[in-house]
Short mmCIF file of all heavy atoms in Angstrom, two decimals:
data_model
loop_
_atom_site.label_atom_id
_atom_site.label_comp_id
_atom_site.label_asym_id
_atom_site.label_seq_id
_atom_site.Cartn_x
_atom_site.Cartn_y
_atom_site.Cartn_z
N SER A 1 -81.46 67.31 -9.12
CA SER A 1 -80.25 68.05 -9.36
C SER A 1 -80.45 69.02 -10.52
O SER A 1 -81.36 68.85 -11.34
CB SER A 1 -79.10 67.11 -9.63
OG SER A 1 -79.16 66.58 -10.92
N TYR A 2 -79.59 70.00 -10.60
CA TYR A 2 -79.67 70.98 -11.68
C TYR A 2 -79.52 70.30 -13.05
O TYR A 2 -80.27 70.59 -13.98
CB TYR A 2 -78.59 72.05 -11.50
CG TYR A 2 -78.56 73.03 -12.64
CD1 TYR A 2 -79.51 74.04 -12.73
CD2 TYR A 2 -77.60 72.93 -13.64
CE1 TYR A 2 -79.51 74.93 -13.80
CE2 TYR A 2 -77.59 73.81 -14.71
CZ TYR A 2 -78.54 74.81 -14.78
OH TYR A 2 -78.54 75.68 -15.83
N ALA A 3 -78.56 69.38 -13.15
CA ALA A 3 -78.34 68.71 -14.43
C ALA A 3 -79.57 67.94 -14.86
O ALA A 3 -79.98 68.01 -16.02
CB ALA A 3 -77.13 67.78 -14.34
N ARG A 4 -80.19 67.21 -13.96
CA ARG A 4 -81.38 66.42 -14.31
C ARG A 4 -82.53 67.36 -14.70
O ARG A 4 -83.28 67.09 -15.63
CB ARG A 4 -81.77 65.53 -13.13
CG ARG A 4 -83.03 64.71 -13.35
CD ARG A 4 -83.00 63.75 -14.53
NE ARG A 4 -82.00 62.74 -14.37
CZ ARG A 4 -81.39 62.14 -15.40
NH1 ARG A 4 -81.68 62.45 -16.63
NH2 ARG A 4 -80.47 61.22 -15.19
N ALA A 5 -82.67 68.46 -14.01
CA ALA A 5 -83.76 69.39 -14.29
C ALA A 5 -83.61 70.07 -15.64
O ALA A 5 -84.60 70.47 -16.24
CB ALA A 5 -83.84 70.44 -13.18
N THR A 6 -82.39 70.17 -16.14
CA THR A 6 -82.17 70.88 -17.40
C THR A 6 -82.03 69.96 -18.60
O THR A 6 -82.03 70.44 -19.73
CB THR A 6 -80.90 71.77 -17.31
OG1 THR A 6 -79.78 70.94 -17.01
CG2 THR A 6 -81.06 72.84 -16.26
N MET A 7 -81.94 68.67 -18.37
CA MET A 7 -81.77 67.71 -19.47
C MET A 7 -83.07 66.96 -19.72
O MET A 7 -83.85 66.74 -18.80
CB MET A 7 -80.66 66.70 -19.14
CG MET A 7 -79.29 67.32 -18.93
SD MET A 7 -78.67 68.23 -20.35
CE MET A 7 -78.41 66.92 -21.50
N PRO A 8 -83.30 66.53 -20.96
CA PRO A 8 -84.47 65.70 -21.24
C PRO A 8 -84.44 64.42 -20.40
O PRO A 8 -83.36 63.90 -20.09
CB PRO A 8 -84.35 65.38 -22.73
CG PRO A 8 -83.47 66.46 -23.29
CD PRO A 8 -82.54 66.83 -22.18
N ALA A 9 -85.60 63.92 -20.05
CA ALA A 9 -85.71 62.76 -19.15
C ALA A 9 -85.00 61.52 -19.68
O ALA A 9 -84.53 60.70 -18.90
CB ALA A 9 -87.18 62.45 -18.88
N GLN A 10 -84.92 61.36 -21.00
CA GLN A 10 -84.31 60.15 -21.56
C GLN A 10 -82.79 60.22 -21.64
O GLN A 10 -82.14 59.25 -21.98
CB GLN A 10 -84.90 59.84 -22.94
CG GLN A 10 -84.48 60.80 -24.03
CD GLN A 10 -85.36 62.04 -24.15
OE1 GLN A 10 -86.09 62.38 -23.23
NE2 GLN A 10 -85.27 62.71 -25.28
N VAL A 11 -82.19 61.36 -21.30
CA VAL A 11 -80.74 61.51 -21.35
C VAL A 11 -80.11 60.91 -20.09
O VAL A 11 -80.48 61.26 -18.97
CB VAL A 11 -80.35 63.00 -21.48
CG1 VAL A 11 -78.84 63.19 -21.33
CG2 VAL A 11 -80.83 63.55 -22.81
N ALA A 12 -79.17 60.00 -20.29
CA ALA A 12 -78.45 59.40 -19.16
C ALA A 12 -77.36 60.36 -18.71
O ALA A 12 -76.60 60.86 -19.54
CB ALA A 12 -77.86 58.06 -19.55
N LEU A 13 -77.31 60.61 -17.43
CA LEU A 13 -76.24 61.44 -16.87
C LEU A 13 -75.15 60.54 -16.33
O LEU A 13 -75.42 59.46 -15.80
CB LEU A 13 -76.79 62.33 -15.76
CG LEU A 13 -77.86 63.33 -16.18
CD1 LEU A 13 -78.34 64.12 -14.98
CD2 LEU A 13 -77.34 64.26 -17.25
N GLY A 14 -73.91 60.97 -16.44
CA GLY A 14 -72.78 60.21 -15.92
C GLY A 14 -72.28 60.83 -14.63
O GLY A 14 -72.14 62.05 -14.54
N CYS A 15 -72.02 59.99 -13.65
CA CYS A 15 -71.50 60.45 -12.36
C CYS A 15 -70.30 59.59 -11.99
O CYS A 15 -70.25 58.40 -12.28
CB CYS A 15 -72.56 60.32 -11.27
SG CYS A 15 -73.94 61.44 -11.48
N ASN A 16 -69.35 60.22 -11.32
CA ASN A 16 -68.14 59.53 -10.89
C ASN A 16 -68.19 59.22 -9.40
O ASN A 16 -68.77 59.98 -8.63
CB ASN A 16 -66.91 60.40 -11.14
CG ASN A 16 -66.70 60.70 -12.60
OD1 ASN A 16 -67.07 59.93 -13.46
ND2 ASN A 16 -66.10 61.84 -12.89
N VAL A 17 -67.55 58.13 -9.03
CA VAL A 17 -67.26 57.86 -7.63
C VAL A 17 -65.74 57.91 -7.46
O VAL A 17 -65.00 57.61 -8.39
CB VAL A 17 -67.83 56.51 -7.15
CG1 VAL A 17 -69.34 56.52 -7.15
CG2 VAL A 17 -67.32 55.36 -7.98
N ASP A 18 -65.31 58.30 -6.30
CA ASP A 18 -63.88 58.43 -6.02
C ASP A 18 -63.22 57.05 -6.08
O ASP A 18 -63.61 56.15 -5.33
CB ASP A 18 -63.70 59.06 -4.64
CG ASP A 18 -62.25 59.37 -4.34
OD1 ASP A 18 -61.40 58.46 -4.44
OD2 ASP A 18 -61.98 60.52 -3.95
N PRO A 19 -62.22 56.86 -6.96
CA PRO A 19 -61.62 55.54 -7.12
C PRO A 19 -60.81 55.08 -5.92
O PRO A 19 -60.61 53.87 -5.74
CB PRO A 19 -60.74 55.68 -8.36
CG PRO A 19 -60.45 57.13 -8.45
CD PRO A 19 -61.63 57.84 -7.87
N VAL A 20 -60.34 56.00 -5.09
CA VAL A 20 -59.56 55.61 -3.91
C VAL A 20 -60.46 55.53 -2.68
O VAL A 20 -60.60 54.48 -2.07
CB VAL A 20 -58.38 56.58 -3.67
CG1 VAL A 20 -57.64 56.22 -2.39
CG2 VAL A 20 -57.42 56.55 -4.85
N ALA A 21 -61.08 56.65 -2.32
CA ALA A 21 -61.87 56.70 -1.09
C ALA A 21 -63.06 55.76 -1.13
O ALA A 21 -63.37 55.10 -0.14
CB ALA A 21 -62.34 58.13 -0.81
N VAL A 22 -63.75 55.69 -2.27
CA VAL A 22 -64.96 54.87 -2.36
C VAL A 22 -64.65 53.45 -2.82
O VAL A 22 -65.06 52.48 -2.19
CB VAL A 22 -65.99 55.54 -3.29
CG1 VAL A 22 -67.21 54.64 -3.50
CG2 VAL A 22 -66.42 56.88 -2.72
N VAL A 23 -63.92 53.31 -3.93
CA VAL A 23 -63.74 51.98 -4.52
C VAL A 23 -62.63 51.18 -3.84
O VAL A 23 -62.84 50.06 -3.39
CB VAL A 23 -63.51 52.07 -6.04
CG1 VAL A 23 -63.38 50.68 -6.65
CG2 VAL A 23 -64.64 52.84 -6.71
N MET A 24 -61.44 51.74 -3.75
CA MET A 24 -60.32 50.98 -3.19
C MET A 24 -60.45 50.77 -1.68
O MET A 24 -60.28 49.66 -1.18
CB MET A 24 -58.99 51.68 -3.47
CG MET A 24 -57.78 50.88 -3.01
SD MET A 24 -56.27 51.70 -3.52
CE MET A 24 -55.46 51.86 -1.97
N ARG A 25 -60.80 51.84 -0.95
CA ARG A 25 -60.83 51.76 0.51
C ARG A 25 -62.20 51.40 1.07
O ARG A 25 -62.34 51.21 2.28
CB ARG A 25 -60.37 53.08 1.10
CG ARG A 25 -58.92 53.38 0.78
CD ARG A 25 -58.44 54.61 1.48
NE ARG A 25 -57.06 54.87 1.12
CZ ARG A 25 -56.54 56.07 0.98
NH1 ARG A 25 -57.29 57.15 1.18
NH2 ARG A 25 -55.28 56.22 0.64
N GLY A 26 -63.20 51.34 0.22
CA GLY A 26 -64.55 51.03 0.68
C GLY A 26 -64.78 49.54 0.82
O GLY A 26 -63.85 48.73 0.76
N THR A 27 -66.02 49.21 1.00
CA THR A 27 -66.48 47.82 1.04
C THR A 27 -67.56 47.67 -0.01
O THR A 27 -68.11 48.69 -0.48
CB THR A 27 -67.09 47.48 2.42
OG1 THR A 27 -68.27 48.28 2.61
CG2 THR A 27 -66.10 47.72 3.55
N PRO A 28 -67.92 46.45 -0.39
CA PRO A 28 -69.02 46.31 -1.33
C PRO A 28 -70.29 47.03 -0.85
O PRO A 28 -70.97 47.68 -1.65
CB PRO A 28 -69.21 44.80 -1.43
CG PRO A 28 -67.83 44.26 -1.22
CD PRO A 28 -67.26 45.15 -0.13
N GLY A 29 -70.57 46.98 0.42
CA GLY A 29 -71.75 47.65 0.94
C GLY A 29 -71.66 49.16 0.87
O GLY A 29 -72.63 49.83 0.49
N SER A 30 -70.50 49.72 1.18
CA SER A 30 -70.37 51.18 1.13
C SER A 30 -70.34 51.68 -0.32
O SER A 30 -70.81 52.79 -0.60
CB SER A 30 -69.12 51.64 1.88
OG SER A 30 -67.93 51.21 1.24
N ILE A 31 -69.85 50.87 -1.24
CA ILE A 31 -69.87 51.23 -2.65
C ILE A 31 -71.32 51.27 -3.15
O ILE A 31 -71.74 52.22 -3.81
CB ILE A 31 -69.02 50.26 -3.48
CG1 ILE A 31 -67.55 50.42 -3.11
CG2 ILE A 31 -69.24 50.45 -4.98
CD1 ILE A 31 -66.64 49.33 -3.60
N ARG A 32 -72.09 50.27 -2.77
CA ARG A 32 -73.52 50.26 -3.15
C ARG A 32 -74.24 51.48 -2.57
O ARG A 32 -75.05 52.11 -3.23
CB ARG A 32 -74.18 48.97 -2.71
CG ARG A 32 -75.62 48.89 -3.17
CD ARG A 32 -76.21 47.52 -2.90
NE ARG A 32 -77.54 47.45 -3.45
CZ ARG A 32 -77.84 47.06 -4.68
NH1 ARG A 32 -76.89 46.71 -5.50
NH2 ARG A 32 -79.08 47.03 -5.10
N GLN A 33 -73.93 51.82 -1.32
CA GLN A 33 -74.55 52.99 -0.69
C GLN A 33 -74.19 54.27 -1.45
O GLN A 33 -75.04 55.14 -1.64
CB GLN A 33 -74.13 53.11 0.76
CG GLN A 33 -74.76 52.08 1.66
CD GLN A 33 -74.20 52.12 3.08
OE1 GLN A 33 -73.13 52.69 3.32
NE2 GLN A 33 -74.92 51.52 4.01
N ALA A 34 -72.94 54.39 -1.89
CA ALA A 34 -72.52 55.57 -2.65
C ALA A 34 -73.29 55.66 -3.97
O ALA A 34 -73.72 56.75 -4.37
CB ALA A 34 -71.01 55.52 -2.90
N ILE A 35 -73.47 54.54 -4.63
CA ILE A 35 -74.20 54.52 -5.89
C ILE A 35 -75.67 54.86 -5.66
O ILE A 35 -76.28 55.63 -6.40
CB ILE A 35 -74.03 53.16 -6.60
CG1 ILE A 35 -72.56 53.00 -7.05
CG2 ILE A 35 -74.98 53.04 -7.79
CD1 ILE A 35 -72.20 51.62 -7.53
N GLU A 36 -76.26 54.30 -4.61
CA GLU A 36 -77.65 54.61 -4.30
C GLU A 36 -77.83 56.09 -3.96
O GLU A 36 -78.84 56.70 -4.34
CB GLU A 36 -78.15 53.72 -3.17
CG GLU A 36 -78.33 52.27 -3.60
CD GLU A 36 -78.66 51.33 -2.46
OE1 GLU A 36 -78.55 51.71 -1.28
OE2 GLU A 36 -79.02 50.17 -2.75
N ALA A 37 -76.85 56.69 -3.30
CA ALA A 37 -76.91 58.12 -3.00
C ALA A 37 -76.89 58.94 -4.29
O ALA A 37 -77.59 59.96 -4.40
CB ALA A 37 -75.76 58.52 -2.08
N LEU A 38 -76.10 58.52 -5.27
CA LEU A 38 -76.09 59.20 -6.56
C LEU A 38 -77.47 59.13 -7.22
O LEU A 38 -77.96 60.12 -7.75
CB LEU A 38 -75.04 58.61 -7.49
CG LEU A 38 -73.59 58.94 -7.17
CD1 LEU A 38 -72.65 58.12 -8.04
CD2 LEU A 38 -73.34 60.42 -7.35
N TYR A 39 -78.09 57.95 -7.18
CA TYR A 39 -79.43 57.81 -7.75
C TYR A 39 -80.43 58.73 -7.05
O TYR A 39 -81.27 59.35 -7.69
CB TYR A 39 -79.93 56.36 -7.64
CG TYR A 39 -79.56 55.52 -8.84
CD1 TYR A 39 -78.56 54.58 -8.75
CD2 TYR A 39 -80.24 55.66 -10.05
CE1 TYR A 39 -78.23 53.79 -9.84
CE2 TYR A 39 -79.91 54.89 -11.14
CZ TYR A 39 -78.91 53.95 -11.04
OH TYR A 39 -78.58 53.19 -12.12
N ARG A 40 -80.34 58.83 -5.73
CA ARG A 40 -81.26 59.72 -5.00
C ARG A 40 -81.06 61.18 -5.41
O ARG A 40 -82.01 61.94 -5.49
CB ARG A 40 -81.07 59.57 -3.49
CG ARG A 40 -81.72 58.33 -2.92
CD ARG A 40 -81.75 58.35 -1.40
NE ARG A 40 -80.43 58.37 -0.79
CZ ARG A 40 -79.66 57.30 -0.59
NH1 ARG A 40 -80.08 56.11 -0.95
NH2 ARG A 40 -78.48 57.43 -0.02
N THR A 41 -79.82 61.54 -5.69
CA THR A 41 -79.51 62.92 -6.06
C THR A 41 -79.82 63.22 -7.51
O THR A 41 -80.42 64.24 -7.83
CB THR A 41 -78.01 63.22 -5.79
OG1 THR A 41 -77.74 63.00 -4.42
CG2 THR A 41 -77.66 64.64 -6.16
N VAL A 42 -79.43 62.32 -8.40
CA VAL A 42 -79.49 62.59 -9.83
C VAL A 42 -80.71 61.98 -10.50
O VAL A 42 -81.23 62.52 -11.46
CB VAL A 42 -78.20 62.07 -10.52
CG1 VAL A 42 -78.24 62.25 -12.01
CG2 VAL A 42 -76.99 62.76 -9.92
N GLY A 43 -81.18 60.85 -10.03
CA GLY A 43 -82.30 60.17 -10.67
C GLY A 43 -81.82 59.22 -11.75
O GLY A 43 -80.64 58.90 -11.85
N ASN A 44 -82.74 58.77 -12.56
CA ASN A 44 -82.49 57.76 -13.56
C ASN A 44 -82.91 58.33 -14.92
O ASN A 44 -83.87 59.08 -14.97
CB ASN A 44 -83.30 56.51 -13.21
CG ASN A 44 -82.71 55.26 -13.78
OD1 ASN A 44 -81.55 55.21 -14.11
ND2 ASN A 44 -83.53 54.24 -13.91
N PRO A 45 -82.23 58.01 -16.02
CA PRO A 45 -81.13 57.09 -16.20
C PRO A 45 -79.79 57.70 -15.75
O PRO A 45 -79.57 58.89 -15.85
CB PRO A 45 -81.11 56.80 -17.69
CG PRO A 45 -81.77 57.98 -18.32
CD PRO A 45 -82.73 58.53 -17.30
N LEU A 46 -78.95 56.82 -15.22
CA LEU A 46 -77.68 57.23 -14.64
C LEU A 46 -76.60 56.23 -15.00
O LEU A 46 -76.81 55.02 -14.92
CB LEU A 46 -77.81 57.32 -13.11
CG LEU A 46 -76.56 57.62 -12.31
CD1 LEU A 46 -76.07 59.03 -12.60
CD2 LEU A 46 -76.83 57.45 -10.83
N LEU A 47 -75.44 56.73 -15.38
CA LEU A 47 -74.25 55.90 -15.61
C LEU A 47 -73.25 56.23 -14.51
O LEU A 47 -72.91 57.39 -14.30
CB LEU A 47 -73.61 56.21 -16.98
CG LEU A 47 -74.51 56.04 -18.19
CD1 LEU A 47 -73.83 56.57 -19.44
CD2 LEU A 47 -74.87 54.58 -18.37
N VAL A 48 -72.79 55.21 -13.81
CA VAL A 48 -71.84 55.41 -12.72
C VAL A 48 -70.50 54.81 -13.12
O VAL A 48 -70.45 53.70 -13.65
CB VAL A 48 -72.35 54.73 -11.43
CG1 VAL A 48 -71.34 54.88 -10.31
CG2 VAL A 48 -73.69 55.31 -11.01
N ASN A 49 -69.43 55.56 -12.87
CA ASN A 49 -68.10 55.04 -13.15
C ASN A 49 -67.10 55.65 -12.18
O ASN A 49 -67.43 56.56 -11.44
CB ASN A 49 -67.71 55.32 -14.61
CG ASN A 49 -67.83 56.78 -14.97
OD1 ASN A 49 -67.39 57.65 -14.24
ND2 ASN A 49 -68.46 57.06 -16.09
N ALA A 50 -65.90 55.11 -12.20
CA ALA A 50 -64.85 55.65 -11.35
C ALA A 50 -64.38 56.98 -11.94
O ALA A 50 -64.35 57.16 -13.16
CB ALA A 50 -63.69 54.68 -11.25
N GLY A 51 -64.01 57.91 -11.08
CA GLY A 51 -63.60 59.23 -11.53
C GLY A 51 -62.23 59.25 -12.18
O GLY A 51 -61.85 60.25 -12.77
N CYS A 52 -61.49 58.18 -12.09
CA CYS A 52 -60.15 58.11 -12.65
C CYS A 52 -59.76 56.63 -12.69
O CYS A 52 -60.62 55.76 -12.57
CB CYS A 52 -59.19 58.92 -11.77
SG CYS A 52 -57.66 59.37 -12.59
N GLU A 53 -58.49 56.34 -12.79
CA GLU A 53 -58.04 54.95 -12.82
C GLU A 53 -58.29 54.29 -11.46
O GLU A 53 -58.16 54.91 -10.42
CB GLU A 53 -56.55 54.85 -13.15
CG GLU A 53 -56.20 55.28 -14.55
CD GLU A 53 -56.00 56.80 -14.65
OE1 GLU A 53 -55.88 57.48 -13.61
OE2 GLU A 53 -55.97 57.30 -15.78
N ILE A 54 -58.59 53.00 -11.51
CA ILE A 54 -58.70 52.20 -10.29
C ILE A 54 -57.29 51.83 -9.86
O ILE A 54 -56.53 51.27 -10.64
CB ILE A 54 -59.54 50.93 -10.53
CG1 ILE A 54 -60.95 51.28 -11.02
CG2 ILE A 54 -59.58 50.05 -9.30
CD1 ILE A 54 -61.83 51.95 -9.99
N PRO A 55 -56.91 52.15 -8.60
CA PRO A 55 -55.55 51.86 -8.17
C PRO A 55 -55.25 50.37 -8.07
O PRO A 55 -56.14 49.57 -7.75
CB PRO A 55 -55.47 52.50 -6.78
CG PRO A 55 -56.63 53.41 -6.67
CD PRO A 55 -57.68 52.86 -7.59
N PRO A 56 -54.00 49.98 -8.31
CA PRO A 56 -53.60 48.59 -8.09
C PRO A 56 -53.85 48.24 -6.62
O PRO A 56 -53.74 49.08 -5.74
CB PRO A 56 -52.10 48.58 -8.38
CG PRO A 56 -51.82 49.82 -9.16
CD PRO A 56 -52.87 50.81 -8.76
N GLY A 57 -54.21 47.01 -6.39
CA GLY A 57 -54.46 46.56 -5.02
C GLY A 57 -55.90 46.75 -4.58
O GLY A 57 -56.24 46.39 -3.44
N THR A 58 -56.74 47.30 -5.45
CA THR A 58 -58.16 47.43 -5.10
C THR A 58 -58.75 46.02 -4.98
O THR A 58 -58.54 45.19 -5.87
CB THR A 58 -58.91 48.22 -6.18
OG1 THR A 58 -58.35 49.54 -6.23
CG2 THR A 58 -60.39 48.30 -5.88
N PRO A 59 -59.45 45.74 -3.89
CA PRO A 59 -60.02 44.40 -3.73
C PRO A 59 -60.97 44.04 -4.88
O PRO A 59 -61.77 44.88 -5.32
CB PRO A 59 -60.78 44.50 -2.40
CG PRO A 59 -60.12 45.61 -1.66
CD PRO A 59 -59.69 46.59 -2.72
N HIS A 60 -60.87 42.81 -5.34
CA HIS A 60 -61.70 42.35 -6.46
C HIS A 60 -63.18 42.47 -6.13
O HIS A 60 -63.99 42.81 -7.00
CB HIS A 60 -61.34 40.91 -6.82
CG HIS A 60 -60.00 40.79 -7.44
ND1 HIS A 60 -59.75 40.05 -8.56
CD2 HIS A 60 -58.80 41.35 -7.10
CE1 HIS A 60 -58.47 40.15 -8.89
NE2 HIS A 60 -57.88 40.91 -8.01
N GLU A 61 -63.56 42.20 -4.88
CA GLU A 61 -64.97 42.28 -4.51
C GLU A 61 -65.49 43.72 -4.61
O GLU A 61 -66.66 43.95 -4.88
CB GLU A 61 -65.24 41.70 -3.13
CG GLU A 61 -64.50 42.36 -1.99
CD GLU A 61 -63.13 41.75 -1.69
OE1 GLU A 61 -62.60 40.98 -2.52
OE2 GLU A 61 -62.60 42.07 -0.61
N ASN A 62 -64.60 44.70 -4.43
CA ASN A 62 -65.01 46.10 -4.59
C ASN A 62 -65.23 46.43 -6.06
O ASN A 62 -66.16 47.17 -6.40
CB ASN A 62 -63.98 47.03 -3.98
CG ASN A 62 -63.94 46.95 -2.47
OD1 ASN A 62 -64.61 46.12 -1.87
ND2 ASN A 62 -63.15 47.81 -1.86
N LEU A 63 -64.39 45.89 -6.93
CA LEU A 63 -64.60 46.10 -8.37
C LEU A 63 -65.92 45.48 -8.81
O LEU A 63 -66.66 46.06 -9.60
CB LEU A 63 -63.44 45.52 -9.17
CG LEU A 63 -62.10 46.21 -8.98
CD1 LEU A 63 -61.00 45.45 -9.70
CD2 LEU A 63 -62.18 47.64 -9.45
N ARG A 64 -66.21 44.29 -8.30
CA ARG A 64 -67.48 43.64 -8.63
C ARG A 64 -68.65 44.49 -8.14
O ARG A 64 -69.66 44.63 -8.83
CB ARG A 64 -67.56 42.25 -8.02
CG ARG A 64 -66.76 41.23 -8.80
CD ARG A 64 -67.04 39.81 -8.29
NE ARG A 64 -65.85 39.01 -8.40
CZ ARG A 64 -64.92 38.86 -7.46
NH1 ARG A 64 -65.04 39.43 -6.30
NH2 ARG A 64 -63.87 38.11 -7.67
N ALA A 65 -68.52 45.06 -6.95
CA ALA A 65 -69.60 45.90 -6.40
C ALA A 65 -69.81 47.13 -7.27
O ALA A 65 -70.95 47.56 -7.48
CB ALA A 65 -69.27 46.31 -4.97
N LEU A 66 -68.74 47.71 -7.79
CA LEU A 66 -68.86 48.88 -8.66
C LEU A 66 -69.58 48.50 -9.96
O LEU A 66 -70.33 49.30 -10.51
CB LEU A 66 -67.48 49.46 -8.97
CG LEU A 66 -67.43 50.67 -9.89
CD1 LEU A 66 -68.16 51.86 -9.24
CD2 LEU A 66 -66.00 51.04 -10.21
N CYS A 67 -69.36 47.29 -10.43
CA CYS A 67 -69.93 46.85 -11.70
C CYS A 67 -71.31 46.21 -11.58
O CYS A 67 -71.99 46.03 -12.58
CB CYS A 67 -68.98 45.86 -12.38
SG CYS A 67 -67.41 46.62 -12.83
N ASN A 68 -71.73 45.88 -10.36
CA ASN A 68 -73.04 45.26 -10.19
C ASN A 68 -74.14 46.26 -10.51
O ASN A 68 -74.10 47.40 -10.06
CB ASN A 68 -73.24 44.76 -8.76
CG ASN A 68 -72.56 43.44 -8.50
OD1 ASN A 68 -72.26 42.71 -9.44
ND2 ASN A 68 -72.33 43.13 -7.26
N PRO A 69 -75.11 45.84 -11.28
CA PRO A 69 -76.22 46.75 -11.57
C PRO A 69 -77.04 47.04 -10.32
O PRO A 69 -77.17 46.18 -9.43
CB PRO A 69 -77.05 46.01 -12.61
CG PRO A 69 -76.61 44.60 -12.56
CD PRO A 69 -75.26 44.55 -11.93
N VAL A 70 -77.56 48.23 -10.25
CA VAL A 70 -78.45 48.62 -9.16
C VAL A 70 -79.81 48.89 -9.78
O VAL A 70 -79.93 49.74 -10.65
CB VAL A 70 -77.93 49.89 -8.45
CG1 VAL A 70 -78.91 50.39 -7.41
CG2 VAL A 70 -76.57 49.63 -7.82
N ALA A 71 -80.81 48.14 -9.36
CA ALA A 71 -82.17 48.37 -9.85
C ALA A 71 -82.77 49.47 -8.99
O ALA A 71 -83.11 49.25 -7.82
CB ALA A 71 -82.98 47.09 -9.75
N TRP A 72 -82.87 50.65 -9.55
CA TRP A 72 -83.35 51.81 -8.78
C TRP A 72 -84.78 52.14 -9.18
O TRP A 72 -85.10 52.25 -10.33
CB TRP A 72 -82.45 53.01 -9.02
CG TRP A 72 -82.87 54.15 -8.17
CD1 TRP A 72 -83.56 55.26 -8.57
CD2 TRP A 72 -82.67 54.28 -6.79
NE1 TRP A 72 -83.78 56.07 -7.51
CE2 TRP A 72 -83.26 55.50 -6.38
CE3 TRP A 72 -82.07 53.49 -5.82
CZ2 TRP A 72 -83.23 55.94 -5.08
CZ3 TRP A 72 -82.05 53.94 -4.51
CH2 TRP A 72 -82.63 55.14 -4.17
N ARG A 73 -85.59 52.29 -8.17
CA ARG A 73 -86.97 52.72 -8.39
C ARG A 73 -87.21 53.94 -7.53
O ARG A 73 -86.88 53.95 -6.35
CB ARG A 73 -87.93 51.61 -8.01
CG ARG A 73 -87.87 50.44 -8.98
CD ARG A 73 -88.77 49.32 -8.50
NE ARG A 73 -88.79 48.21 -9.42
CZ ARG A 73 -87.82 47.34 -9.61
NH1 ARG A 73 -86.68 47.48 -8.98
NH2 ARG A 73 -87.93 46.35 -10.46
N GLU A 74 -87.77 54.96 -8.13
CA GLU A 74 -88.03 56.19 -7.39
C GLU A 74 -89.24 56.04 -6.52
O GLU A 74 -90.12 55.31 -6.74
CB GLU A 74 -88.21 57.34 -8.36
CG GLU A 74 -86.91 57.59 -9.13
CD GLU A 74 -87.05 58.74 -10.09
OE1 GLU A 74 -87.62 59.76 -9.72
OE2 GLU A 74 -86.58 58.59 -11.22
#
């Protein structure tokens, strides 16, 4: 990505996932896929977070999936 190409390799980039479409309405598997897609695009080091507040009623297993570490190897 442009951001990764212009920043020093040791700088962690932050990326957001959609808190409704990805986190609330997704599944643990689709959340992991979204995070892995960010890694493929941006590389490592990467910080992933929700783009805004997590809506009430978001399944707990989806929140856990968002918080689970992903061991990414290029």
Side-chain angles (χ1 to χ4, degrees):
S1 76
Y2 176 77
R4 178 60 63 208
T6 58
M7 298 301 292
Q10 71 273 18
V11 172
L13 298 178
C15 293
N16 297 331
V17 294
D18 186 306
V20 176
V22 174
V23 182
M24 185 175 124
R25 295 185 181 146
T27 65
S30 67
I31 293 166
R32 184 172 185 90
Q33 288 174 342
I35 293 169
E36 289 173 349
L38 287 171
Y39 270 106
R40 283 191 297 278
T41 301
V42 177
N44 205 21
L46 175 67
L47 302 172
V48 178
N49 54 47
C52 199
E53 293 85 13
I54 301 291
T58 298
H60 291 226
E61 60 270 14
N62 291 6
L63 293 174
R64 283 189 214 91
L66 179 63
C67 296
N68 281 340
V70 174
W72 184 256
R73 290 176 178 73
E74 296 181 44

